[in-house]
Every structure is written in structure tokens, then in C-alpha cells.
Amino acid sequence: MAERLAASLLPAAASASPSARRATVAAAASFPSSCSARAAGLRLRSSRPAGRFSKAAAGRRGGGGALRVVRCMAASDAAELKSAREDIKDLLKTTYCHPILVRLGWHDSGTYDKNIEEWPQRGGADGSLRFEPELNHGANAGLINALKLIQPIKDRYPSITYADLFQLASATAIEEAGGPKIPMKYGRVDVTAPEQCPPEGRLPDAGPRDPAEHLREVFYRMGLDDKEIVALSGAHTLGRARPDRSGWGKPETKYTKDGPGEPGGQSWTVEWLKFDNSYFKDMKFLSQLPSEEQKEQDLLVLPTDAALFEDPSFKVYAEKYAEDQEAFFKDYAEAHAKLSNLGAKFDPPEGFSLDDDTSDGPADEKKEEAAAALEPVVAAVSTATSDDNNGAAPQPEPFVAAKYSYGKRELSDSMKQKIRAEYEGFGGSPDKPMQSNYFLNIMILIAGLAFLTSLVGN
């Protein structure tokens, strides 16, 4: 069953190019033969022992039975990341999966331990969440559904890593829900085997004995402080808790019974697909109610939510964010970006930003845009051959294609102005085509006929 699950997520590669087949093999490696999944009460198990296929394949290649590891790309391609971002936006519009994509990115990076220097033992944003051992952690229940949603995008863009894709999806979901622009950077390297997954128990628990102390224990281990803990908690403005996954919340409420998306669960806010500061406003009110009355409400309050208004240090920030959404957005964007980088190994080491890259269009549109940018030049050259500029033939600078092709998505403003000036130098304008010199055309026609007549006579 696990093999059939992987086959349903990955495209057929029998007739694909060598590079496409390599990308498919790398993607297939992320679904080990022992992969199991819990989704809507369904548990999928492998029908054969884990690693059997890999060892057999290694033996056939003369590896003496040693496990052969298929490595993913070390760094992501910026153009493919931008195209993937557009696909994620389309996915969000049709599936309303903002909350689970945020959770996917957070749970991949939230295993980081600042006290461990070695990568990948330290955990963090390294794409390990795609492997069975980590997917089966109790805190990750239901995230197989997020992986199913995101896998087709990974298949379309094999030159991006899972680590980058998970964080791209998380940040895009926040922004598309109305949240702040997050200053992300990319170039995360993927781990390559299930053995590199972090141990269970590094993610926060919703109902610990001492909620405030538990939050500090988990987030301080990541290198985050009280302000960042409270700001990141504000992401609960999105999504719902489902008792069949986390053990928390009601099966449904008046705010969730009709969806959008899959109905059910209990949300923290009324508009649970809108990112704003309503979480802090609602928690401030609900935290003042007795615990029994809180349980009767249609909005969810976890012990860790109530702690934000009970702990003196947390309360300073929670009160501030309830009153000032702009301050919340600013602090949240910084905290989210920091969380997304935890434990990551970057290639290049400094990473790169999609906003700094001038080639910000999707990869499959570059050629069309470059051709469109050169259309005025082609029109100017072709039209100029029929115009003698009042009897004096112009001597324009020769057009050299390499001069205008420098690897960017579109021409710079200065270059566009230069091209336009050359076009107008021939007598053209953006509003009307250049007029032909009819007298010259007739003279050329007569000369051509005379030449043909002389040839026939000879």
C-alpha cells in the first residue's frame, strides 16, 4: 500500500528524460518502502520489510548489500521556487489549506536544538518531515495530508529542495491569508535518509502540566525568546484543532461545520482563514472566563493559549498585540523568518532571497517575456527599410542581439528608453505605425521591372 501511495503521488517516469527520471527517483526516495500514513482514519502499511528494495538494488549494482542513498539537489533554483510559489497560491485558492501548510513548515523547522552543532543531528528546516519516522511522531498527526498536497508541486519543480518547499508553502500561506510579508531566504539543503530524522519530543505539547514553563523549555531550546513565543502563537488565528488528530477541540462548531474546505474541528477565531490579531483579542476575553465556561465556547482555548495572558512576561506582548495589529505583524514576520531558518544548512551559505532576484517571473514565462520585450526593435528594423527619411538614408547603430540579452527577465528602464529612442529615430511612435514613402516604393518597383526586362532581352 505504501508503494501505491508513493506511485499515486509521483508521475510516471518511464518515458521521461534522464533528468526527469532522476528527479522522480529522488522524489520517490522521500517515501520509504515502510511509509505509513494516518489520514481520515486510514492507516497504510508496507507489505514488505523496510529497506528490502534498496538493499536488493544495491546488491545488483555490486554494492555488497549496502544501502544506496539517493541524494536530493543541494540547493534550490530561484526561478523554480517562484513558479512553485504561484502554484501554491493556486492550491490555496482551491483547497483552503493555509493552516496545514503553515504547520508543515513549522514542524519541519521546530525540531531544532541549539545545543547540538552537527547537521543534521541538530534538527531544524532540513526536509526530514517527509520521511516515515518523523511523520509518525504524535505531534505530526495528519501532516501526511499536507505532504500529499505539496508533492505534485515538488514533482513539477525537481530543482528545489523539500526543506525550501515546506518553508515557502508556510510563508506563502501566511501572506495569502492577509498576513505580513515575511523576509524569507532560501537554499536549504535536504537530509537524504530516514535515519537522519530528529528524535520525537521536540515539538510543543498543547496541554502540559505547566504551560508557560513548557513553552519556554521548547522555544528556548530553539533559541527563541518570550516575544517570539507570543508572536508565533498568534498564528493560531488560522486553522482548527481536530480531536481525531491532536485530541483537542470539538468535532465541529458553528464556525467550522460548513467549511470552507473539509468541515469540522474547533477554531481559535471566528474567521479562521484570515490572518490578523483577532486571536489575541479573543484569547484576552476567553482567558478571563472560568475553565468550565471556556469549554462551552465555540472558540478553542488551549492551556498554552491561556498562559499568554496569565504569565506576566508573556502578557506584556499579548496585550500589546491585541491592541496593535501593526506591531504584531512586524514581530510575527521577524519571528517566522527566524523559525524557518533554524538548523538549516544553506547552499550558498548565506542563502538567497527571491525578492532580491531580478528574474522574478515564473520559469516558463521567461522566453515569452524576452521575446515580447524585443518586438519594438524588430518592428523598427523591418519598417526602416522602406523609409528614406526625406531622401537621406539614416545610419542607425547596428542591432546586436547579444547587446540586449543579458540573462534577466526583462530589459532595464534605461535600455527600454534607448530602444524607444532608436525606434522613434526612424520616424515611428508608440501610437501609430511609420508611414511608407510611396514615391520611393514606386521607383524601386520600376527599377526592378526594368532590370527583369533587360534580363529577358539578353
Side-chain angles (χ1 to χ4, degrees), residues 30-259:
S30 69
F31 286 89
S33 59
S34 61
C35 179
S36 62
R38 294 188 186 91
L42 177 65
R43 182 172 177 83
L44 305 177
R45 288 190 180 275
S46 171
S47 59
R48 59 186 176 185
R52 177 180 173 185
F53 176 81
S54 298
K55 292 180 181 178
R60 289 195 299 272
R61 292 176 177 268
L67 181 64
R68 178 176 177 267
V69 175
V70 179
R71 296 188 178 276
C72 296
M73 301 275 300
S76 298
D77 178 77
E80 288 199 2
L81 278 169
K82 291 172 184 176
S83 295
R85 181 167 58 186
E86 297 306 310
D87 287 6
I88 291 170
K89 291 178 181 179
D90 292 338
L91 179 68
L92 293 168
K93 293 174 184 176
T94 56
T95 62
Y96 308 103
C97 60
H98 305 67
I100 199 169
L101 293 188
V102 174
R103 184 170 167 236
L104 178 68
W106 279 33
H107 282 216
D108 191 47
S109 63
T111 59
Y112 174 63
D113 188 339
K114 70 177 182 179
N115 301 310
I116 302 175
E117 294 184 4
E118 296 80 10
W119 183 93
Q121 292 90 332
R122 65 195 182 203
D126 56 17
S128 61
L129 187 49
R130 72 190 191 274
F131 290 118
E132 176 204 6
E134 194 167 347
L135 273 175
N136 284 343
H137 291 178
N140 294 330
L143 282 180
I144 183 66
N145 297 317
L147 199 58
K148 288 179 179 179
L149 290 170
I150 214 73
Q151 183 63 43
I153 297 177
K154 178 66 172 74
D155 296 337
R156 283 195 289 274
Y157 307 106
S159 294
I160 61 179
T161 60
Y162 280 96
D164 271 348
L165 182 60
F166 293 166
Q167 300 307 323
L168 174 68
S170 180
T172 303
I174 292 291
E175 294 169 7
E176 290 297 294
K181 176 72 174 176
I182 301 178
M184 299 290 290
K185 70 175 182 176
Y186 298 94
R188 297 170 185 81
V189 177
D190 276 345
V191 297
T192 56
E195 294 76 14
Q196 296 173 310
C197 290
E200 188 169 5
R202 292 186 179 182
L203 295 172
D205 184 7
R209 182 180 57 83
D210 187 337
E213 186 61 28
H214 174 71
L215 287 174
R216 288 194 173 93
E217 179 183 353
V218 171
F219 285 93
Y220 282 11
R221 187 206 69 227
M222 301 182 205
L224 302 174
D225 58 24
D226 285 0
K227 180 177 76 172
E228 291 162 334
I229 292 173
V230 179
L232 290 172
S233 298
H236 276 164
T237 191
L238 297 179
R240 302 158 286 177
R242 295 180 180 273
D244 59 329
R245 296 180 185 174
S246 64
W248 292 90
K250 299 178 180 179
E252 69 174 25
T253 69
K254 63 183 179 181
Y255 303 122
T256 65
K257 63 180 181 178
D258 298 322

Side-chain angles (χ1 to χ4, degrees), residues 275-294:
F275 193 95
D276 55 19
N277 68 335
S278 60
Y279 165 79
F280 294 105
K281 294 179 179 179
D282 293 336
M283 291 304 108
K284 182 177 181 179
F285 169 74
L286 294 173
S287 63
Q288 298 172 357
L289 300 177
S291 58
E292 291 301 319
E293 290 189 33
Q294 290 180 9

